Amino acid sequence: MYVEQIMTMLGLSDLQFALAVIGLLILISVAFLNFKYSRARRKAKEALFSSDERIAREPTFGPGFADADSAEPNLGFAQSDMVAAPDKFVIDPRIDCVITLRFDQGISGAEILEEIQSWSDLQAPAKAKWICEGLKTNHEAGDEWEELNPEATYSELQLAIQLASRRGAIGVLELSDFCSRAQALADTLGSQIDMPSVNTMLEHAKELDAMAAESDIQLSINVLFDEPCPWGNFDALMRLRGFRLARNGRQYEFYSNGRLIFNSADLDPNQPVKQITLLLEVPLVAHEERAFERMLGEGVEIAQAAHGRIVDDNGINLSEGAVISIRQHLDVLYANLEKSGISAGSSAASRLFS
């Protein structure tokens, strides 16, 4: 009776009323499901956050050597960051676009630094590094360009940006932006400016990038053990051979004259060692270090001491013919680097191959 009164008040037929009730029930069901799923998502998010916190607190290690890619000594593009370039660089016309500013009167380093302090937003941090050096007023023959000192006075200024690196050649927008800033600085300081052509520098950047791509070689030596070597025994052997455990606790490094020569791929300190791979980034180590011969020699010594053998990526013993082939390729590579004016292990090479 009550329902009929409502239908009469609303002017609804039986069909219209039935449809209205069904619609209301659907709305209630949707609201209930939304509440249920929202609560479930909130709980899942809280559980995930708790899990992330636990993982962040616990030390972790990289994959074991059994999971790592093994390879025979080969020629290929280097991928690791075995040797880090220094934070401070010296301008080098072989790999930099260099712009020179000359002042009629000496200008203080503090004034110059104040004008270029905003250059930290230069749109080339990923691919290029820019550098600024000054030549002091009343400098004597033999005086070198130096990093700007606020207390000093300078008669000339050099601005430079790196033209290429492992990330590729500098782009036209990056280089144009740098040149525009240098021109604006010259106008502000009232100096003469000597600026190379942007197109010329872009061509040079492409040539550098092509040369680097051909020369960016990483060699590897694999030592496969007949039986897994306990970590403690392996660590003692590596230290005896002159290796140092890297800061990450997963790699061993071999130094000569204070410079990193080669290192190992990642190891798992919680597992016995089944195989070790030694890695050499050829352009970053001077030819005089005989890095490949020393790395091969260390591989042989490790294999003999821990009952292992030097193998290729298929687990087959490395042949003398393969070693001879690598030596021949290295001779060509070193010769090409010397011909380009960027010898292996030089500061220019460290920057170009970084």
Side-chain angles (χ1 to χ4, degrees):
M1 186 68 179
Y2 181 71
V3 173
E4 293 177 352
Q5 291 177 350
I6 295 177
M7 292 173 59
T8 302
M9 291 174 60
L10 296 176
L12 298 175
S13 65
D14 291 344
L15 179 60
Q16 291 173 327
F17 183 80
L19 293 174
V21 171
I22 293 174
L24 180 61
L25 292 175
I26 292 175
L27 289 175
I28 294 173
S29 299
V30 171
F32 175 77
L33 289 174
N34 283 340
F35 174 79
K36 181 179 179 180
Y37 291 153
S38 176
R39 184 178 181 186
R41 286 194 299 267
R42 184 170 63 252
K43 288 185 176 180
K45 184 177 180 180
E46 291 172 353
L48 179 60
F49 180 78
S50 175
S51 175
D52 288 344
E53 282 190 326
R54 182 174 66 256
I55 292 173
R57 290 194 299 267
E58 295 175 354
T60 60
F61 297 95
F65 231 140
D67 302 323
D69 291 332
S70 61
E72 104 181 87
N74 59 81
L75 301 180
F77 293 108
Q79 298 295 333
S80 70
D81 54 351
M82 177 164 42
V83 179
D87 293 331
K88 294 183 179 179
F89 305 101
V90 176
I91 291 176
D92 191 328
R94 294 173 295 180
I95 60 174
D96 292 324
C97 168
V98 184
I99 299 174
T100 304
L101 276 61
R102 297 182 178 85
F103 309 111
D104 295 332
Q105 296 181 343
I107 187 170
S108 70
E111 183 176 351
I112 299 172
L113 289 170
E114 182 179 359
E115 292 296 333
I116 65 175
Q117 63 181 353
S118 63
W119 284 32
S120 58
D121 69 339
L122 184 62
Q123 299 298 311
K127 289 188 178 180
K129 305 177 180 68
W130 67 272
I131 315 170
C132 181
E133 295 177 349
L135 192 63
K136 289 182 179 179
T137 305
N138 300 324
H139 63 275
E140 299 179 358
D143 285 355
E144 298 181 350
W145 294 85
E146 65 177 24
E147 183 180 355
L148 292 183
N149 181 348
E151 306 298 327
T153 302
Y154 297 96
S155 59
E156 294 185 42
L157 183 69
Q158 279 188 342
L159 302 167
I161 191 166
Q162 189 168 325
L163 292 172
S165 69
R166 276 182 173 162
R167 298 179 180 89
I170 192 172
V172 60
L173 295 180
E174 296 167 324
L175 184 58
S176 297
D177 182 38
F178 177 78
C179 292
S180 296
R181 291 173 186 249
Q183 182 63 65
L185 179 64
D187 295 340
T188 300
L189 299 178
S191 68
Q192 304 173 34
I193 185 170
D194 183 5
M195 183 187 303
S197 164
V198 171
N199 289 335
T200 300
M201 288 296 99
L202 287 174
E203 286 299 319
H204 185 37
K206 292 179 181 179
E207 293 171 0
L208 277 174
D209 184 48
M211 184 275 292
E214 294 177 356
S215 306
D216 199 359
I217 305 302
Q218 184 185 70
L219 295 177
S220 61
I221 292 289
N222 305 306
V223 181
L224 179 64
F225 301 117
D226 297 335
E227 297 291 339
C229 185
W231 179 263
N233 296 348
F234 178 78
D235 179 66
L237 171 61
M238 295 298 285
R239 294 179 185 275
L240 182 64
R241 297 301 314 164
F243 286 83
R244 304 179 190 174
L245 187 63
R247 291 183 179 181
N248 62 16
R250 300 189 297 270
Q251 297 176 345
Y252 283 90
E253 300 172 334
F254 191 90
Y255 286 81
S256 176
N257 300 318
R259 293 180 62 88
L260 182 62
I261 304 301
F262 52 85
N263 68 346
S264 75
D266 279 357
L267 295 156
D268 187 346
N270 297 317
Q271 299 291 332
V273 181
K274 299 178 181 179
Q275 174 178 305
I276 181 172
T277 299
L278 301 179
L279 303 171
L280 163 65
E281 294 204 55
V282 177
L284 299 180
V285 184
H287 188 193
E288 295 75 18
E289 292 287 355
R290 301 179 66 253
F292 174 69
E293 299 299 334
R294 296 170 71 178
M295 183 173 72
L296 180 61
E298 289 300 325
V300 171
E301 293 292 338
I302 293 171
Q304 292 177 348
H307 305 290
R309 52 198 175 93
I310 299 178
V311 299
D312 61 18
D313 57 348
N314 295 315
I316 301 174
N317 291 350
L318 186 66
S319 67
E320 181 63 24
V323 174
I324 293 175
S325 177
I326 292 172
R327 288 170 177 155
Q328 292 172 344
H329 279 88
L330 283 177
D331 288 341
V332 174
L333 173 61
Y334 285 126
N336 288 340
L337 286 171
E338 288 289 342
K339 184 179 179 180
S340 70
I342 304 175
S343 58
S346 65
S347 59
S350 296
R351 290 178 55 197
L352 183 59
F353 298 96
S354 65

